[in-house]
Amino acid sequence: MSDTSVESDVTTQDRVLRLVVENGPISAAELARLLHLTPAGVRRHIAALEREDRIVVHEPSGPEQRRRGRPARHYVATDTGRSGLSHAYSDLATHALDFIDAVAGSGAVELFANQRVSELEERYTPVVEAAGPEVEHRAEALAAALTEDGYAATVRKVGPRGGLAVQLCQGNCPVLAVAESYPQLCHAETRAFSRLLGVHVQRLATLARGGYVCTTHIPTTVPIGRPSTTTSPRGDDTEGN
């Protein structure tokens, strides 16, 4: 195999991995459609990513398990696969928060988490405001901003006829190693999303707590007013952390 062919394979595998991170669980057929590849071609890259422990087959639970026949395999990214997309966090950040927690207590960690998301919120506010008053459009603008910061975010419609709510899905977390020890980061982020979108949102799952994606449920029919620009020290969100 020539050097050019090897480089092309690596590039295509990276594209497959990013799609799995952003859209997983996703089937080989859907990946082939999005990448304009043959099913056989995309399965070769899937096999390589599985050997490297960067993606795995998603094991459904509940009603999906009871379907008859042989359903198509759907893939999700592993921690190894996600970490390959971003190196924005390190053990140093966790050690720093350990020190803050030990010296100043959990309240200081909470203040740090709020300060971190307030900086993100300040940057995202103009982008979200420019999307207009529709919650779905604001969520799509927020997802685009998050993706630029390495979160691999997408928006999916849910509910009857896809008209009652959307879900903001983050396939990657640049601060995952820290959030696993300090869920205050996830809680503060959820509250910031609520303020940015102008509705009460609910975190259904997080990568930090073993989910294959961070999922935030966003109602599109019951606005609670314009987003606040302030950050409260505590929140009422009932996210899956």
Side-chain angles (χ1 to χ4, degrees):
M1 183 180 290
S2 68
D3 290 344
T4 302
S5 297
V6 171
E7 182 179 350
S8 176
D9 275 353
V10 170
T11 301
T12 303
Q13 283 176 26
D14 286 343
R15 291 170 64 201
V16 171
L17 176 60
R18 183 164 291 278
L19 283 173
V20 173
V21 168
E22 292 179 353
N23 299 289
I26 186 170
S27 67
E30 183 66 6
L31 286 167
R33 185 186 69 80
L34 292 172
L35 292 168
H36 304 289
L37 296 174
T38 64
V42 81
R43 286 194 183 93
R44 179 165 62 88
H45 296 297
I46 286 173
L49 290 169
E50 284 189 288
R51 285 195 301 271
E52 295 168 2
D53 190 34
R54 294 202 281 171
I55 66 173
V56 293
V57 175
H58 173 59
E59 298 295 341
S61 59
E64 292 181 56
Q65 272 190 327
R66 296 190 291 270
R67 290 178 183 170
R68 294 184 178 180
R70 247 180 110 185
R73 290 186 171 188
H74 286 69
Y75 299 89
V76 295
T78 64
D79 289 344
T80 300
R82 285 188 290 269
S83 67
L85 295 180
S86 175
H87 300 284
Y89 60 83
S90 68
D91 288 341
L92 179 61
T94 303
H95 292 325
L97 282 177
D98 288 343
F99 178 80
I100 292 173
D101 193 16
V103 172
S106 60
V109 175
E110 190 85 28
L111 288 172
F112 171 83
N114 288 334
Q115 177 61 34
R116 177 183 175 274
V117 298
S118 70
E119 294 170 358
L120 293 177
E121 191 176 343
E122 186 177 353
R123 288 196 293 109
Y124 294 163
T125 294
V127 176
V128 174
E129 289 288 341
E134 295 293 328
V135 176
E136 184 177 343
H137 296 164
R138 295 172 75 91
E140 289 169 350
L142 176 58
L146 286 165
T147 296
E148 288 186 6
D149 281 345
Y151 288 87
T154 57
V155 172
R156 305 174 184 179
K157 293 183 179 181
V158 295
R161 298 181 297 279
L164 298 180
V166 296
Q167 288 183 350
L168 175 64
C169 301
Q170 296 159 256
N172 189 47
C173 177
V175 295
L176 177 59
V178 185
E180 287 174 340
S181 298
Y182 292 97
Q184 293 95 323
L185 294 173
C186 300
H187 300 322
E189 182 182 84
T190 305
R191 294 193 294 270
F193 289 173
S194 183
R195 291 190 296 271
L196 284 165
L197 299 173
V199 294
H200 177 74
V201 306
Q202 183 179 16
R203 185 62 61 88
L204 302 180
T206 63
L207 292 164
R209 288 294 177 268
Y212 65 84
V213 66
C214 293
T215 305
T216 305
H217 185 82
I218 305 166
T220 57
T221 57
V222 188
I224 61 172
R226 294 180 61 80
S228 169
T229 57
T230 60
T231 302
S232 60
R234 307 290 296 182
D236 299 326
D237 49 285
T238 56
E239 61 191 78
N241 276 332

